[in-house]
Amino acid sequence: MTAATNALVADPPGPFDAIMDITPRPPIVFVAGHGSWLTDSEGRTYLDFIQGWAVNCLGHSPQPIIQALARQAAHLINCSPAFYNDQMIRLAELLVRHSGLHQVFLANSGAEANEGAIKLARKWGAKHRDGAYEIITMDHGFHGRTLATMAASGKPQWEQLYAPKVPGFVKVPLNDLAAVAAAMTPRTVAVMLEPIQGEAGVFEATVPFLRGLRELTSARGVLLILDEIQTGIGRTGRLFGFEHADITPDIMTLAKGLGGGVPLAALVAHRDVCCFDYGDQGGTFCGNPLMAAAGCAVIEEITKPGFLARVVQAGEHLANGLRAISHRHGGGEVRGQGLLLALDLKRDIATEVVDLAREHGLLINGPRADTLRFMPALTVADAEIDRMIDLLDGVLLDVSANRRREAIA
Ligand SMILES: Cc1ncc(COP(=O)(O)O)c(C=O)c1O
């Protein structure tokens, strides 16, 4: 039988067959989004408290991004990273002005920015710290899916994946300053962590820990790298998560919210650390003016007077609603800051809750079997938060009723 006749007897292709199967996606096809709402191909609407995994900081298809992209697309889309362009300069200046750091390398994804941070730290170690290259990272941390960022991450499931692992990462427990101090050796070049571990289930690095790390790294002459890919760009109610601890890192990475939905990331560093030689770092799409224009629009919106105060207020409203839900349904604590929050369900029902919520038109995330995570648009309205709480309340009642029925059967 030829390949052609074989194809004739095989099952007809399904609508998703051409998509590589890397995650269990529900059979829904989204076709439109506006603010906090998504619409699928059947015309059903969904209240979105995932927002592209904390990416659409201004909601779906917000006017500032639409206008910035349309304006920029008509002017200049890409002129090669080997040349300066006006949007790259504008965005780098905005990030420098607001962060207190000095130089920026623009990239396309969080993992790429973190990969750049690891390379910069190793380069600095080679030049200034006698070849030191080891980076201390946190258990359960998440830094991306390239080989080096997977090795930097502390996900137990990744220990054996894609062996051999990139060497040079030492893990310690989050919020254990003594463990960091004990792990430091002459090979140590940096400590790298997220201000809040988002993918792990929203666990905060405490303010004393962050301040202690800043003091310890400065005293030992090693770098402090903050992965602000999830916590940056207003997500916690401040432009950058580190502001809550009143410290400044040596290197910071940004992505997610920075592009307001389009792929954009940044490696931002203190001038003393910026030591790449020509050819050490780069990328065809890095610093392209189309994405940089979107980044400028995002920063300009988020730094408008009152924007971050509203994020804080919306975060408190959401946290209060979640605490009430937790109280009503026997849950545990509400963790996180601003609009990066998690609800401890105290039972391993997160998958069931997420699936049932979706059937009821609500999109939420379950980063752990017993935890729900909420990362709505930073522009979410109180009425949308209230609607989400109502929907979640109903879903939790249904899940409890299902569990009771199963127990009786
Ligand atoms: C803290 C953190 N770092 C890095 C990444 C990786 O970013 P990206 O998926 O854009 O590569 C993520 C993504 O969830 C993240 O939350």
Side-chain angles (χ1 to χ4, degrees):
M1 215 188 253
T2 64
T5 36
N6 230 338
L8 284 177
V9 291
D11 286 341
F16 310 122
D17 283 3
I19 306 287
M20 203 174 280
D21 200 15
I22 53 125
T23 191
R25 295 182 174 104
I28 299 172
V29 178
F30 288 113
V31 294
H34 183 71
S36 288
W37 297 87
L38 273 171
T39 306
D40 72 12
S41 54
E42 312 277 293
R44 283 199 69 196
T45 54
Y46 299 78
L47 181 55
D48 186 4
F49 271 56
I50 296 177
Q51 287 289 353
W53 252 252
V55 159
N56 306 315
C57 57
L58 304 177
H60 289 283
S61 294
Q63 277 307 316
I65 303 284
I66 294 174
Q67 284 166 19
L69 288 174
R71 202 181 321 115
Q72 191 56 38
H75 278 333
L76 179 65
I77 292 177
N78 202 331
C79 62
S80 158
F83 301 113
Y84 295 117
N85 68 70
D86 58 350
Q87 302 306 311
M88 156 208 274
I89 294 169
R90 205 156 73 88
L91 180 55
E93 281 176 357
L94 281 170
L95 291 174
V96 163
R97 185 179 338 137
H98 290 291
S99 67
L101 295 169
H102 305 109
Q103 289 197 334
V104 178
F105 172 79
L106 295 175
N108 309 286
S109 72
E112 191 186 9
N114 280 340
E115 191 84 21
I118 294 164
K119 284 155 72 176
L120 188 59
R122 285 189 177 190
K123 184 81 193 193
W124 182 83
K127 281 189 166 173
H128 303 291
R129 289 273 300 174
D130 218 10
Y133 63 91
E134 255 176 23
I135 300 182
I136 298 172
T137 60
M138 304 295 132
D139 290 337
H140 305 290
F142 184 84
H143 299 294
R145 293 171 186 278
T146 60
L147 287 175
T149 56
M150 285 178 84
S153 300
K155 261 175 104 99
Q157 310 90 296
W158 284 358
E159 273 309 304
Q160 300 306 323
L161 193 61
Y162 306 132
K165 260 173 110 161
V166 175
F169 297 96
V170 177
K171 305 279 158 34
V172 296
L174 181 68
N175 292 325
D176 187 341
L177 196 60
V180 180
M184 282 186 175
T185 72
R187 292 186 302 276
T188 308
V189 74
V191 177
M192 176 172 178
L193 75 160
E194 303 149 86
I196 299 177
Q197 292 189 336
E199 294 300 301
V202 187
F203 292 96
E204 292 172 61
T206 63
V207 167
F209 181 62
L210 287 171
R211 287 190 182 150
L213 276 184
R214 181 62 286 183
E215 277 170 28
L216 179 67
T217 49
S218 298
R220 302 281 184 98
V222 306
L223 305 176
L224 178 62
I225 305 174
L226 287 183
D227 175 342
E228 293 255 12
I229 283 159
Q230 194 155 144
T231 51
I233 316 299
R235 177 68 37 198
T236 67
R238 306 291 285 267
L239 189 54
F240 306 115
F242 66 71
E243 293 174 35
H244 294 283
D246 219 3
I247 58 163
T248 310
D250 302 297
I251 299 177
M252 160 175 74
T253 52
L254 298 167
K256 291 192 182 281
L258 179 60
V262 302
L264 177 64
L267 163 63
V268 190
H270 192 283
R271 63 168 72 82
D272 296 347
V273 186
C274 298
C275 60
F276 281 137
D277 289 311
Y278 291 159
D280 288 349
Q281 179 66 337
T284 320
F285 293 111
C286 295
N288 74 80
L290 188 64
M291 298 303 121
C296 293
V298 165
I299 302 285
E300 280 162 3
E301 278 303 304
I302 291 197
T303 54
K304 277 185 179 160
F307 188 100
L308 289 172
R310 167 63 202 154
V311 173
V312 172
Q313 194 207 338
E316 279 164 9
H317 192 64
L318 177 56
N320 287 338
L322 291 174
R323 277 188 209 105
I325 286 254
S326 180
H327 186 68
R328 213 161 114 72
H329 295 275
E333 64 176 350
V334 173
R335 295 190 294 268
Q337 221 161 13
L339 286 170
L340 176 56
L341 295 177
L343 171 63
D344 178 0
L345 294 164
K346 286 265 175 245
R347 290 177 293 162
D348 287 355
I349 54 170
T351 306
E352 203 179 331
V353 172
V354 165
D355 290 348
L356 200 59
R358 194 173 54 246
E359 284 173 27
H360 285 76
L362 170 65
L363 302 180
I364 47 177
N365 164 244
R368 291 161 54 104
D370 61 358
T371 302
L372 299 176
R373 179 170 45 160
F374 305 85
M375 36 196 166
L378 303 184
T379 51
V380 68
D382 281 353
E384 290 164 338
I385 293 173
D386 295 343
R387 177 91 185 111
M388 193 285 291
I389 294 289
D390 276 355
L391 284 166
L392 183 58
D393 192 30
V395 168
L396 286 170
L397 283 174
D398 286 354
V399 168
S400 295
N402 288 348
R403 288 282 156 122
R404 272 199 303 277
R405 265 197 299 277
E406 277 163 24
I408 293 167

PDB file of all heavy atoms in Angstrom, residues 122-140:
ATOM      1  N   ARG A 122      27.709  34.967  34.342  1.00  0.00           N
ATOM      2  CA  ARG A 122      28.895  34.117  34.127  1.00  0.00           C
ATOM      3  C   ARG A 122      30.032  34.919  33.466  1.00  0.00           C
ATOM      4  O   ARG A 122      31.200  34.726  33.809  1.00  0.00           O
ATOM      5  CB  ARG A 122      28.527  32.911  33.259  1.00  0.00           C
ATOM      6  CG  ARG A 122      27.724  31.856  34.013  1.00  0.00           C
ATOM      7  CD  ARG A 122      27.574  30.600  33.177  1.00  0.00           C
ATOM      8  NE  ARG A 122      26.866  29.552  33.897  1.00  0.00           N
ATOM      9  CZ  ARG A 122      26.761  28.298  33.475  1.00  0.00           C
ATOM     10  NH1 ARG A 122      27.298  27.947  32.320  1.00  0.00           N
ATOM     11  NH2 ARG A 122      26.106  27.395  34.181  1.00  0.00           N
ATOM     12  N   LYS A 123      29.643  35.801  32.558  1.00  0.00           N
ATOM     13  CA  LYS A 123      30.663  36.633  31.900  1.00  0.00           C
ATOM     14  C   LYS A 123      31.336  37.542  32.934  1.00  0.00           C
ATOM     15  O   LYS A 123      32.559  37.705  32.955  1.00  0.00           O
ATOM     16  CB  LYS A 123      29.985  37.475  30.804  1.00  0.00           C
ATOM     17  CG  LYS A 123      30.916  38.312  29.984  1.00  0.00           C
ATOM     18  CD  LYS A 123      31.582  37.521  28.892  1.00  0.00           C
ATOM     19  CE  LYS A 123      32.741  38.285  28.294  1.00  0.00           C
ATOM     20  NZ  LYS A 123      33.225  37.696  27.055  1.00  0.00           N
ATOM     21  N   TRP A 124      30.503  38.126  33.800  1.00  0.00           N
ATOM     22  CA  TRP A 124      31.014  39.020  34.846  1.00  0.00           C
ATOM     23  C   TRP A 124      31.917  38.230  35.797  1.00  0.00           C
ATOM     24  O   TRP A 124      32.989  38.707  36.209  1.00  0.00           O
ATOM     25  CB  TRP A 124      29.817  39.633  35.581  1.00  0.00           C
ATOM     26  CG  TRP A 124      30.169  40.610  36.644  1.00  0.00           C
ATOM     27  CD1 TRP A 124      30.465  41.929  36.498  1.00  0.00           C
ATOM     28  CD2 TRP A 124      30.256  40.345  38.058  1.00  0.00           C
ATOM     29  NE1 TRP A 124      30.720  42.496  37.716  1.00  0.00           N
ATOM     30  CE2 TRP A 124      30.598  41.549  38.684  1.00  0.00           C
ATOM     31  CE3 TRP A 124      30.058  39.204  38.844  1.00  0.00           C
ATOM     32  CZ2 TRP A 124      30.753  41.654  40.066  1.00  0.00           C
ATOM     33  CZ3 TRP A 124      30.216  39.296  40.218  1.00  0.00           C
ATOM     34  CH2 TRP A 124      30.565  40.516  40.814  1.00  0.00           C
ATOM     35  N   GLY A 125      31.500  36.992  36.113  1.00  0.00           N
ATOM     36  CA  GLY A 125      32.315  36.134  36.979  1.00  0.00           C
ATOM     37  C   GLY A 125      33.657  35.814  36.335  1.00  0.00           C
ATOM     38  O   GLY A 125      34.694  35.801  37.007  1.00  0.00           O
ATOM     39  N   ALA A 126      33.612  35.567  35.024  1.00  0.00           N
ATOM     40  CA  ALA A 126      34.859  35.243  34.318  1.00  0.00           C
ATOM     41  C   ALA A 126      35.795  36.450  34.325  1.00  0.00           C
ATOM     42  O   ALA A 126      37.013  36.315  34.482  1.00  0.00           O
ATOM     43  CB  ALA A 126      34.539  34.826  32.886  1.00  0.00           C
ATOM     44  N   LYS A 127      35.216  37.638  34.193  1.00  0.00           N
ATOM     45  CA  LYS A 127      36.052  38.845  34.099  1.00  0.00           C
ATOM     46  C   LYS A 127      36.476  39.378  35.456  1.00  0.00           C
ATOM     47  O   LYS A 127      37.578  39.893  35.607  1.00  0.00           O
ATOM     48  CB  LYS A 127      35.282  39.959  33.366  1.00  0.00           C
ATOM     49  CG  LYS A 127      35.265  39.809  31.857  1.00  0.00           C
ATOM     50  CD  LYS A 127      34.687  41.056  31.202  1.00  0.00           C
ATOM     51  CE  LYS A 127      34.972  41.051  29.705  1.00  0.00           C
ATOM     52  NZ  LYS A 127      34.308  42.128  28.995  1.00  0.00           N
ATOM     53  N   HIS A 128      35.565  39.304  36.438  1.00  0.00           N
ATOM     54  CA  HIS A 128      35.805  40.026  37.698  1.00  0.00           C
ATOM     55  C   HIS A 128      35.855  39.157  38.944  1.00  0.00           C
ATOM     56  O   HIS A 128      36.118  39.668  40.032  1.00  0.00           O
ATOM     57  CB  HIS A 128      34.716  41.097  37.904  1.00  0.00           C
ATOM     58  CG  HIS A 128      34.630  42.078  36.777  1.00  0.00           C
ATOM     59  ND1 HIS A 128      35.623  43.000  36.528  1.00  0.00           N
ATOM     60  CD2 HIS A 128      33.687  42.265  35.828  1.00  0.00           C
ATOM     61  CE1 HIS A 128      35.274  43.727  35.469  1.00  0.00           C
ATOM     62  NE2 HIS A 128      34.113  43.292  35.029  1.00  0.00           N
ATOM     63  N   ARG A 129      35.512  37.862  38.848  1.00  0.00           N
ATOM     64  CA  ARG A 129      35.452  37.040  40.063  1.00  0.00           C
ATOM     65  C   ARG A 129      36.223  35.742  39.883  1.00  0.00           C
ATOM     66  O   ARG A 129      35.796  34.688  40.339  1.00  0.00           O
ATOM     67  CB  ARG A 129      33.995  36.735  40.428  1.00  0.00           C
ATOM     68  CG  ARG A 129      33.217  37.930  40.948  1.00  0.00           C
ATOM     69  CD  ARG A 129      33.354  38.124  42.432  1.00  0.00           C
ATOM     70  NE  ARG A 129      32.867  36.937  43.150  1.00  0.00           N
ATOM     71  CZ  ARG A 129      32.964  36.765  44.451  1.00  0.00           C
ATOM     72  NH1 ARG A 129      33.557  37.673  45.195  1.00  0.00           N
ATOM     73  NH2 ARG A 129      32.506  35.669  45.024  1.00  0.00           N
ATOM     74  N   ASP A 130      37.315  35.843  39.153  1.00  0.00           N
ATOM     75  CA  ASP A 130      38.213  34.697  39.073  1.00  0.00           C
ATOM     76  C   ASP A 130      37.542  33.451  38.494  1.00  0.00           C
ATOM     77  O   ASP A 130      37.792  32.332  38.934  1.00  0.00           O
ATOM     78  CB  ASP A 130      38.692  34.383  40.508  1.00  0.00           C
ATOM     79  CG  ASP A 130      40.142  33.962  40.514  1.00  0.00           C
ATOM     80  OD1 ASP A 130      40.789  34.089  39.476  1.00  0.00           O
ATOM     81  OD2 ASP A 130      40.597  33.469  41.569  1.00  0.00           O
ATOM     82  N   GLY A 131      36.641  33.671  37.557  1.00  0.00           N
ATOM     83  CA  GLY A 131      35.996  32.513  36.905  1.00  0.00           C
ATOM     84  C   GLY A 131      34.811  31.945  37.661  1.00  0.00           C
ATOM     85  O   GLY A 131      34.301  30.876  37.311  1.00  0.00           O
ATOM     86  N   ALA A 132      34.319  32.656  38.689  1.00  0.00           N
ATOM     87  CA  ALA A 132      33.142  32.154  39.421  1.00  0.00           C
ATOM     88  C   ALA A 132      31.957  32.043  38.453  1.00  0.00           C
ATOM     89  O   ALA A 132      31.761  32.919  37.609  1.00  0.00           O
ATOM     90  CB  ALA A 132      32.807  33.100  40.571  1.00  0.00           C
ATOM     91  N   TYR A 133      31.165  30.981  38.568  1.00  0.00           N
ATOM     92  CA  TYR A 133      30.067  30.773  37.608  1.00  0.00           C
ATOM     93  C   TYR A 133      28.806  30.210  38.246  1.00  0.00           C
ATOM     94  O   TYR A 133      27.739  30.203  37.641  1.00  0.00           O
ATOM     95  CB  TYR A 133      30.507  29.796  36.502  1.00  0.00           C
ATOM     96  CG  TYR A 133      30.825  28.423  37.038  1.00  0.00           C
ATOM     97  CD1 TYR A 133      29.841  27.445  37.104  1.00  0.00           C
ATOM     98  CD2 TYR A 133      32.091  28.125  37.531  1.00  0.00           C
ATOM     99  CE1 TYR A 133      30.117  26.196  37.637  1.00  0.00           C
ATOM    100  CE2 TYR A 133      32.372  26.875  38.075  1.00  0.00           C
ATOM    101  CZ  TYR A 133      31.386  25.916  38.118  1.00  0.00           C
ATOM    102  OH  TYR A 133      31.654  24.701  38.663  1.00  0.00           O
ATOM    103  N   GLU A 134      28.894  29.751  39.496  1.00  0.00           N
ATOM    104  CA  GLU A 134      27.728  29.085  40.085  1.00  0.00           C
ATOM    105  C   GLU A 134      26.663  30.098  40.498  1.00  0.00           C
ATOM    106  O   GLU A 134      26.980  31.165  41.025  1.00  0.00           O
ATOM    107  CB  GLU A 134      28.153  28.295  41.333  1.00  0.00           C
ATOM    108  CG  GLU A 134      28.200  26.813  41.068  1.00  0.00           C
ATOM    109  CD  GLU A 134      28.719  26.031  42.251  1.00  0.00           C
ATOM    110  OE1 GLU A 134      28.656  26.510  43.406  1.00  0.00           O
ATOM    111  OE2 GLU A 134      29.220  24.932  42.002  1.00  0.00           O
ATOM    112  N   ILE A 135      25.414  29.713  40.280  1.00  0.00           N
ATOM    113  CA  ILE A 135      24.301  30.585  40.667  1.00  0.00           C
ATOM    114  C   ILE A 135      23.436  29.830  41.669  1.00  0.00           C
ATOM    115  O   ILE A 135      23.037  28.677  41.419  1.00  0.00           O
ATOM    116  CB  ILE A 135      23.485  31.020  39.430  1.00  0.00           C
ATOM    117  CG1 ILE A 135      24.404  31.781  38.461  1.00  0.00           C
ATOM    118  CG2 ILE A 135      22.285  31.889  39.839  1.00  0.00           C
ATOM    119  CD1 ILE A 135      23.737  32.317  37.216  1.00  0.00           C
ATOM    120  N   ILE A 136      23.179  30.480  42.795  1.00  0.00           N
ATOM    121  CA  ILE A 136      22.307  29.872  43.812  1.00  0.00           C
ATOM    122  C   ILE A 136      20.869  30.243  43.469  1.00  0.00           C
ATOM    123  O   ILE A 136      20.543  31.430  43.318  1.00  0.00           O
ATOM    124  CB  ILE A 136      22.683  30.384  45.222  1.00  0.00           C
ATOM    125  CG1 ILE A 136      24.130  29.983  45.552  1.00  0.00           C
ATOM    126  CG2 ILE A 136      21.707  29.856  46.261  1.00  0.00           C
ATOM    127  CD1 ILE A 136      24.667  30.590  46.843  1.00  0.00           C
ATOM    128  N   THR A 137      20.017  29.236  43.301  1.00  0.00           N
ATOM    129  CA  THR A 137      18.602  29.484  42.991  1.00  0.00           C
ATOM    130  C   THR A 137      17.741  28.765  44.034  1.00  0.00           C
ATOM    131  O   THR A 137      18.255  28.050  44.885  1.00  0.00           O
ATOM    132  CB  THR A 137      18.246  29.021  41.565  1.00  0.00           C
ATOM    133  OG1 THR A 137      18.505  27.611  41.462  1.00  0.00           O
ATOM    134  CG2 THR A 137      19.061  29.752  40.521  1.00  0.00           C
ATOM    135  N   MET A 138      16.427  28.986  43.946  1.00  0.00           N
ATOM    136  CA  MET A 138      15.536  28.516  45.017  1.00  0.00           C
ATOM    137  C   MET A 138      14.813  27.220  44.648  1.00  0.00           C
ATOM    138  O   MET A 138      14.375  27.066  43.503  1.00  0.00           O
ATOM    139  CB  MET A 138      14.464  29.580  45.325  1.00  0.00           C
ATOM    140  CG  MET A 138      15.019  30.937  45.686  1.00  0.00           C
ATOM    141  SD  MET A 138      15.959  30.939  47.229  1.00  0.00           S
ATOM    142  CE  MET A 138      17.442  31.819  46.711  1.00  0.00           C
ATOM    143  N   ASP A 139      14.641  26.343  45.625  1.00  0.00           N
ATOM    144  CA  ASP A 139      13.772  25.176  45.436  1.00  0.00           C
ATOM    145  C   ASP A 139      12.414  25.672  44.936  1.00  0.00           C
ATOM    146  O   ASP A 139      11.906  26.695  45.432  1.00  0.00           O
ATOM    147  CB  ASP A 139      13.535  24.459  46.776  1.00  0.00           C
ATOM    148  CG  ASP A 139      14.785  23.749  47.280  1.00  0.00           C
ATOM    149  OD1 ASP A 139      15.668  23.434  46.469  1.00  0.00           O
ATOM    150  OD2 ASP A 139      14.867  23.518  48.509  1.00  0.00           O
ATOM    151  N   HIS A 140      11.838  24.975  44.010  1.00  0.00           N
ATOM    152  CA  HIS A 140      10.502  25.258  43.449  1.00  0.00           C
ATOM    153  C   HIS A 140      10.438  26.535  42.612  1.00  0.00           C
ATOM    154  O   HIS A 140       9.361  26.934  42.167  1.00  0.00           O
ATOM    155  CB  HIS A 140       9.422  25.302  44.544  1.00  0.00           C
ATOM    156  CG  HIS A 140       9.389  24.056  45.369  1.00  0.00           C
ATOM    157  ND1 HIS A 140       8.948  22.854  44.877  1.00  0.00           N
ATOM    158  CD2 HIS A 140       9.823  23.817  46.638  1.00  0.00           C
ATOM    159  CE1 HIS A 140       9.086  21.920  45.803  1.00  0.00           C
ATOM    160  NE2 HIS A 140       9.623  22.487  46.875  1.00  0.00           N
TER     161      HIS A 140
END
